[in-house]
Amino acid sequence: MPVETNTVAPAPKWDTTTTPGPTAAPPVSDPTPETPPSKGRGWLGWLIAALVIAAMVFVKMKYFPSNAAGGDKKGAAAGGKGGPGGAGGKGQRTPVQVYVVAATNLTDEVAATGSVLAEESVVIKSELSGKITSLNIKEGQSVSKGQLLFSINADEAQAAIQKQQYNIKLFRDQERRQRTLLDKEYISAQEYETSNNQLLTAQADLQALRATLDKAYVRAPFSGVLGLTTATVGTYVSPGAEITTLSRVRPVKIDFAVPGRFAANVRVGDVVSVLDETTNKKYDAKVYAIDPQIDPVSRTQPVRARFANTGNELRPGAFVRVNLKLGESETALQVPTEAVIPEASGYSVYTVKNNKMVPKKVKIGIRSDKVIQITDGLVVGDSVIRTGILQVKPGDAVRVTK
């Protein structure tokens, strides 16, 4: 068997005289994560950082001088020259305006809205159906009690009355004969009672017919002033049809309500001031009735006063403003509204004592749009800060300005 032999070819030899030999590949270096900045970018970053620091220092010195001006630490700590509490630190004190508390006159009033009502008022209606046969209504004119206003055709009622009168005459004669027979014991007592009952029933029916006839003639139930009407003679009306109104306007009533917390302070006989917004004139009315119950919806106490209205100054239905005086004090303490600070636990004010701000808790009473009564927490002579309240804190030095 022929034996195959593997021969290794010799490596080629390069002729260095004509062709240069192969060169080794350059070594592979590991890639770097960042390229170091150039010198130009380095100095630019430092410049930006320096500008930012300079801006922060400027803002600090400009808008926060109290913290930055600490050069004279010894004088600031001792409150001497250069410190905010010393003679040279007046520029550091917060300027404020104050109100000096003094005793003033105060009237305790309750303001309410009210309506004017007629002393008496009624809608004149017809109780019967029929045609109006006479009409004596003069619109807007005064009438006296009992004066005839209008009448309705009552021919049927008059005929029914006449018929019933004939029946009564017949029943009366029967009752007389039955009584004679009863006395002689010709009839029983029951027969006589039946006859007598017919007579009594007929008499009662006659009274009912006369009452119906009276409804055909409508008269004024009281003296007053008539309203407008659209009825004329010949108008057919039904029961309940409105003909006109009648009102008594001298005097008039003033209806108003006060908050429930003042209910105990209202008394019969109290004088209230009534302002008519149409003429801007004030009148004095007197309380004559107080509702015994507080309205459960509005939590107010209904009150009613009376005004003479001799000159027809107030008209029923008008809207008025009512001021009820509950009391008057000559030693009340009041401060401007802007000086009182509402808090979760009540109210407080800022006062000035030894040129420093001192807060005080107070209790308020009557208030208006300009002043508030202080019932506890202040005394006469206290200086209450009214401006610059948001710029001061307890213990801060302040400077009182005019």
Side-chain angles (χ1 to χ4, degrees), residues 141-178:
Q141 299 297 316
S142 299
V143 295
S144 302
K145 180 179 180 179
Q147 181 175 333
L148 180 65
L149 300 180
F150 67 94
S151 61
I152 297 177
N153 186 2
D155 293 343
E156 293 183 1
Q158 291 175 347
I161 289 175
Q162 187 174 7
K163 176 182 178 180
Q164 193 64 20
Q165 288 174 342
Y166 293 149
N167 291 333
I168 290 175
K169 183 178 181 300
L170 175 62
F171 292 144
R172 184 176 291 111
D173 292 341
Q174 291 179 354
E175 185 272 335
R176 188 182 303 112
R177 288 192 295 269
Q178 293 292 335

Side-chain angles (χ1 to χ4, degrees), residues 89-228:
K90 291 184 178 180
Q92 305 300 328
R93 296 182 180 182
T94 304
V96 296
Q97 294 181 357
V98 299
Y99 173 83
V100 180
V101 180
T104 58
N105 293 331
L106 176 63
T107 301
D108 189 1
E109 292 184 344
V110 175
T113 57
S115 300
V116 181
L117 303 177
E119 176 71 10
E120 293 180 287
S121 181
V122 66
V123 178
I124 304 298
K125 298 181 179 181
S126 172
E127 295 185 75
L128 301 176
S129 59
K131 291 183 179 180
I132 296 178
T133 55
S134 66
L135 188 65
N136 301 323
I137 295 176
K138 296 181 179 180
E139 298 173 315
Q141 299 297 316
S142 299
V143 295
S144 302
K145 180 179 180 179
Q147 181 175 333
L148 180 65
L149 300 180
F150 67 94
S151 61
I152 297 177
N153 186 2
D155 293 343
E156 293 183 1
Q158 291 175 347
I161 289 175
Q162 187 174 7
K163 176 182 178 180
Q164 193 64 20
Q165 288 174 342
Y166 293 149
N167 291 333
I168 290 175
K169 183 178 181 300
L170 175 62
F171 292 144
R172 184 176 291 111
D173 292 341
Q174 291 179 354
E175 185 272 335
R176 188 182 303 112
R177 288 192 295 269
Q178 293 292 335
R179 183 187 306 113
T180 301
L181 295 175
L182 178 63
D183 293 339
K184 296 180 179 181
E185 297 183 353
Y186 291 156
I187 60 174
S188 64
Q190 182 178 1
E191 291 176 329
Y192 170 75
E193 291 175 357
T194 300
S195 177
N196 186 47
N197 183 64
Q198 290 178 339
L199 175 61
L200 296 177
T201 301
Q203 291 176 342
D205 291 340
L206 179 61
Q207 292 180 356
L209 290 174
R210 286 175 175 172
T212 301
L213 180 63
D214 289 341
K215 294 179 181 179
Y217 302 93
V218 180
R219 303 179 183 275
F222 51 84
S223 300
V225 180
L226 292 173
L228 304 181

Side-chain angles (χ1 to χ4, degrees), residues 24-64:
V28 180
S29 61
D30 296 334
T32 57
E34 294 182 359
T35 304
S38 63
K39 293 182 178 180
R41 294 179 60 186
W43 72 262
L44 181 61
W46 284 107
L47 178 59
I48 294 175
L51 291 176
V52 171
I53 294 174
M56 294 176 62
V57 172
F58 173 77
V59 172
K60 182 69 174 179
M61 297 294 294
K62 178 68 176 178
Y63 296 101
F64 302 94

Side-chain angles (χ1 to χ4, degrees), residues 311-353:
N312 293 332
E313 297 92 344
L314 298 177
R315 292 184 175 273
F319 173 82
V320 293
R321 295 192 177 275
V322 181
N323 286 331
L324 174 63
K325 295 182 180 180
L326 301 179
E328 189 172 356
S329 174
E330 297 180 354
T331 59
L333 304 182
Q334 300 182 86
V335 298
T337 303
E338 64 271 15
V340 179
I341 304 170
E343 297 177 344
S345 58
Y347 298 88
S348 65
V349 297
Y350 292 167
T351 61
V352 176
K353 188 174 182 180

